[in-house]
Amino acid sequence: MCGIVGYIGQRKAYPILIKGLKRLEYRGYDSAGVALISDNRQLNVYKAKGKVSELETFVAQKDISGSIGIAHTRWATHGEPCSVNAHPHYSSSERFALIRNGIIENYAVLKEKLQAKGYVFKSSTDTEVLVQLIEYMKVANQVDLLTAVQLALHEVIGAYAIAVLDKNNPDEIIAARKSSPLVVGIGKDEFFLASDATPIVEYTDKVVYLQDGEIAVIRRDKTLEVVNLDNVLQNPEVRTVE
């Protein structure tokens, strides 16, 4: 079982993400990674094979600034356990970064279509296929990230929980789920994202459990918005957890 953590708010994201990954270690994993939009608006992705502690060692001298980020612990399905196959994955332009739980059953077909359009893949994962597909949808249709994610997920067969960052928009995380759990924590002027409530309850007791086919639009200094794949606004239940 893989683990997802995300944060957007006023605090430094990196310490919250790393602590969250440690809280999810019980799920089992073989590699870990983090993506941060830095204070100077660079999208930095750092990944390491092995434990979260090895990721911490790897980033010791790196730029870990920024108040928005996503992080992941991976249990290998497509591709061997290594830093290249670890999440997050960049898109070709390195404008977007994505983490994902689940499995994309038709990734090979989607990958062939993208390769025919000139996309080059660095990993052997199905996850990289999805971030490339999102970038293609955004560029080809000249749409915003939410719409690009919706268009891409309409093409996907399988189960997923995803979170996406756009380097050009350091005030937004797009997250979606189908048959793989994803929880949004609602704090004061901040949001948290995780595979379950374990990494969130330290910071807030207000959570939204996304339902199948729902997409969370998590924006800095805005209220949480949840829509479906057809962009119909949903009315999520905000629950109180102990």
Side-chain angles (χ1 to χ4, degrees):
M1 292 167 64
C2 307
I4 281 175
V5 185
Y7 176 78
I8 180 171
Q10 307 304 318
R11 316 188 209 193
K12 290 187 179 298
Y14 176 76
I16 294 170
L17 297 175
I18 288 296
K19 183 181 283 189
L21 290 184
K22 289 179 177 178
R23 293 268 169 87
L24 293 173
E25 285 188 301
Y26 75 91
R27 298 167 72 93
Y29 66 104
D30 52 49
S31 56
V34 61
L36 300 155
I37 301 179
S38 69
D39 291 339
N40 62 354
R41 297 187 67 150
Q42 296 301 306
L43 178 54
N44 295 315
V45 172
Y46 307 123
K47 306 189 285 188
K49 180 183 176 182
K51 298 298 183 184
V52 175
S53 57
E54 293 175 64
L55 174 63
E56 289 182 283
T57 300
F58 177 72
V59 305
Q61 305 302 319
K62 305 285 196 304
D63 179 5
I64 54 171
S65 66
S67 57
I68 176 173
I70 54 178
H72 192 264
T73 49
R74 175 181 186 254
W75 190 261
T77 51
H78 293 95
E80 64 177 325
C82 64
S83 59
V84 173
N85 287 334
H87 304 201
H89 285 284
Y90 276 128
S91 62
S92 283
S93 67
E94 299 192 354
R95 175 177 169 178
F96 304 101
L98 178 142
I99 54 178
R100 184 195 58 88
N101 292 351
I103 188 166
I104 298 173
E105 296 171 13
N106 63 332
Y107 83 99
V109 174
L110 295 171
K111 186 173 184 177
E112 284 183 14
K113 290 181 179 178
L114 289 166
Q115 286 173 324
K117 297 179 185 299
Y119 281 80
V120 177
F121 291 81
K122 297 178 180 177
S123 77
S124 52
T125 68
D126 53 343
T127 301
E128 188 184 4
V129 174
L130 181 52
V131 72
Q132 303 279 38
L133 181 61
I134 289 170
E135 177 168 281
Y136 168 73
M137 290 296 186
K138 189 174 193 320
V139 173
N141 297 284
Q142 292 295 295
V143 293
D144 62 13
L145 179 57
L146 170 60
T147 306
V149 169
Q150 290 166 327
L151 291 171
L153 292 180
H154 272 297
E155 301 288 320
V156 167
I157 299 170
Y160 54 78
I162 68 168
V164 194
L165 292 183
D166 176 358
K167 180 174 71 172
N168 293 354
N169 187 357
D171 297 318
E172 180 182 79
I173 300 174
I174 301 294
R177 71 150 283 181
K178 179 184 176 185
S179 303
S180 186
L182 202 55
V183 187
V184 181
I186 304 171
K188 181 174 172 54
D189 300 323
E190 60 185 355
F191 293 97
F192 306 84
L193 187 68
S195 308
D196 61 45
T198 311
I200 294 174
V201 291
E202 176 181 345
Y203 307 101
T204 179
D205 62 353
K206 299 293 187 290
V207 301
V208 168
Y209 291 91
L210 293 183
Q211 302 302 305
D212 270 4
E214 290 187 338
I215 301 173
V217 185
I218 307 168
R219 296 187 175 117
R220 196 187 305 274
D221 301 325
K222 305 282 187 182
T223 56
L224 176 67
E225 184 177 299
V226 178
V227 298
N228 66 13
L229 291 183
D230 297 316
N231 207 40
V232 177
L233 193 64
Q234 306 297 291
N235 185 25
E237 177 188 358
V238 180
R239 302 185 188 181
T240 301
V241 295
E242 294 183 3

